[in-house]
Amino acid sequence: MKNLELAIAKHPFFDDLPEEDIRSIAGEANVVNFKDGDVLFKEGEDADKFYLIIKGKVALETYTPGRGVINIQTVEDGEMLGWSWLVAPYKYRFAAKVITKTEMIVINGTQLRAECEKKPVLGYEMMKRMVRAIAFRLEQTRLMLMDVYGKRPKKN
Amino acid sequence: MEDTIYNTETIVADPMVPTLYRVESYVKETSDTFTLAISPTGSALEVKTANQKQLDAAPGQFNMLYVFGMGEVPISISASPAVGGLLTHTTRDVGSVTKALSALKVGDMLGVRGPFGTPWPVERAIGKDVVLVAGGIGLAPLRPVIHELLARRADFGRLVVLYGSRSPADIIFKNELKKWKAQPGVIVYMTVDRGSSSWHGSVGVVTRLIPKIRFDPANAIVMICGPEIMMQYTVDALKQRGVSGDDIYVSMERNMKCAVGFCGHCQFGEHFICKDGPVFTYDQLSSLFKKPEI
Ligand SMILES: Cc1cc2nc3c(=O)[nH]c(=O)nc-3n(C[C@H](O)[C@H](O)[C@H](O)COP(=O)(O)OP(=O)(O)OC[C@H]3O[C@@H](n4cnc5c(N)ncnc54)[C@H](O)[C@@H]3O)c2cc1C
Ligand code: FES
């Protein structure tokens, strides 16, 4: 396997994916290094990339009038970032800013989507992996919404 | 009538009678959390007996702190007198008694009963990886374990501390966390639920760190302290990593009155938290977690 294929095969998101699929994903991917402060994308921009963090930290941010930019969540080693390339209308819902030096696999989302349309087995596999990752993220968000460390209201 | 002869040793040994302690230092950790370091007062024998009892306390045990005229609350020991000579408790002001505790000043007196309860399983962890997961004020009851593990570092495998708090401003023991992180072979991960513009650390719940940490699930002891819901999700994530419920320990909280198993105030299913706990294995409690009626 080439270095890029190895990097993809080693990323937890692609755990146990057949070599043939890894090879075709590698055709649409690069390993890129970012420095802190780099903006990967902004809210509302066309979503054409899928990012998989090898090492580093990226903040998902949103702007709230009166409160400025809020760091909603960080995405780190072994995690994925940006699923808007898979979901119409293919626009990023948050901004993403690198906060520590980060090494990432960057995949062309538009091409990967076309590949998934052409190869339903790969498409289904990608969907299962995305749903798992999104469900994990949703569970985390629910826990954050519960504000578990906040003060408990007095019982009546 | 015969004169009553008071035996000081018996007075001190009665678990319902508080020993008088003096506040020696007060450190504000965050806007609502503070650390009181206290020392016993009274006759030389009373002081010696009280000091010995607290020196014998194991990490995870708690004391009943009595603010005169206000009431008593269970608070875990956050540092043994063996570390720095004073008995230390770290408390979050959430209600009437903890607010009164927060209003104490150096030189003020309070009553102390204890130590009570079951300890963290430090001896069971010898030769194993140790993962500590703390949420919010839950780092305070785990701090004596960290002190002990660091003092006997060679006895244990990997040491991983995961700490989640509400926001960067709510992080307690900031300086100590930095020192622990700087020790070789110690991994400290911190994460907050709500970031701030100056925070460059992780934002997200503490449970998300569990799939990523390096440890041997088949040869590890995990100790968790925090809000019950956070502990439940942490246990779920640990089970997915293959950690047995028998190797996962949680510290439970319920309101208490006597702290010695007399009154039933702290009942949790068939357990009394004060006497059978507060530290339990997850397997002891698994059928009781997430039951609204309990
Ligand atoms: C074994 C044990 C060890 C403990 N160790 C510590 C410790 O080291 N440090 C510490 O700060 N606390 C600790 N606690 C919790 C502490 O005992 C309670 O916060 C305290 O009893 C509250 O009493 P209060 O009179 O101040 O509040 P109350 O007047 O009884 O309650 C006021 C409000 O606070 C809410 N509340 C009560 N407890 C909590 C809580 N724990 N978290 C959030 N909201 C709460 C109640 O729902 C109520 O709305 C421990 C509890 C147990 C059982
Ligand atoms: S507090 Fe009385 S039995 Fe536990």
Side-chain angles (χ1 to χ4, degrees), chain A residues 111-125:
Chain A
Q111 281 177 17
L112 183 56
R113 205 167 61 225
E115 187 86 5
C116 290
E117 291 285 354
K118 259 197 324 210
K119 297 183 185 162
V121 175
L122 170 66
Y124 181 57
E125 193 53 46

Side-chain angles (χ1 to χ4, degrees), chain A residues 74 76 79 140 147-148 151, chain B residues 93 166 202-203 205 208:
Chain A
T74 51
E76 301 174 29
E79 295 179 331
Q140 314 284 304
D147 192 17
V148 293
K151 288 200 179 172
Chain B
D93 160 12
R166 191 167 193 248
S202 299
V203 179
V205 292
R208 72 194 280 241

Side-chain angles (χ1 to χ4, degrees), chain A residues 57 69-77 79 99-100 136 139-140 143-152, chain B residues 32 92-93 135-136 164-166 193-195 200-203 205-208 212 227 229-230 233 253:
Chain A
K57 198 182 291 159
V69 175
I70 299 171
N71 175 347
I72 305 166
Q73 192 160 34
T74 51
V75 188
E76 301 174 29
D77 304 10
E79 295 179 331
I99 50 176
T100 58
F136 184 67
E139 185 183 296
Q140 314 284 304
L143 255 180
M144 281 160 93
L145 284 175
M146 277 189 239
D147 192 17
V148 293
Y149 308 122
K151 288 200 179 172
R152 286 188 235 134
Chain B
D32 61 5
R92 180 168 178 218
D93 160 12
S165 70
R166 191 167 193 248
D193 277 7
R194 285 159 181 68
H200 290 275
S202 299
V203 179
V205 292
V206 71
T207 49
R208 72 194 280 241
K212 295 195 241 179
I229 185 86
M230 165 255 162
Y233 277 88
E253 273 191 20

Side-chain angles (χ1 to χ4, degrees), chain B residues 29-30 168-179:
Chain B
E29 304 283 351
T30 69
D170 292 307
I171 294 174
I172 58 172
F173 309 144
K174 282 195 183 83
N175 290 334
E176 263 190 283
L177 280 159
K178 269 192 218 146
K179 278 192 214 148

Side-chain angles (χ1 to χ4, degrees), chain A residues 13 123-133:
Chain A
F13 184 84
Y124 181 57
E125 193 53 46
M126 286 296 292
M127 275 296 183
K128 280 198 291 187
R129 286 162 195 254
M130 286 306 264
V131 168
R132 202 184 308 142

Side-chain angles (χ1 to χ4, degrees), chain B residues 43-56:
Chain B
S43 69
L45 179 63
E46 279 171 327
V47 168
K48 190 169 162 243
T49 313
N51 270 333
Q52 195 51 53
K53 266 199 334 188
Q54 298 296 341
L55 273 171
D56 292 343

Side-chain angles (χ1 to χ4, degrees), chain A residues 16-72:
Chain A
D16 292 330
L17 199 70
E19 244 184 91
E20 184 198 328
D21 292 333
I22 289 179
R23 229 172 294 125
S24 64
I25 291 169
E28 295 137 17
N30 279 307
V31 171
V32 186
N33 285 291
F34 294 88
K35 56 181 189 323
D36 42 329
D38 283 351
V39 175
L40 301 180
F41 49 81
K42 292 192 182 136
E43 216 162 328
E45 281 181 355
D46 287 341
D48 56 358
K49 289 197 180 67
F50 177 33
Y51 298 88
L52 295 133
I53 301 185
I54 298 172
K55 196 162 181 43
K57 198 182 291 159
V58 175
L60 293 180
E61 298 182 335
T62 192
Y63 175 75
T64 313
R67 288 178 64 190
V69 175
I70 299 171
N71 175 347
I72 305 166

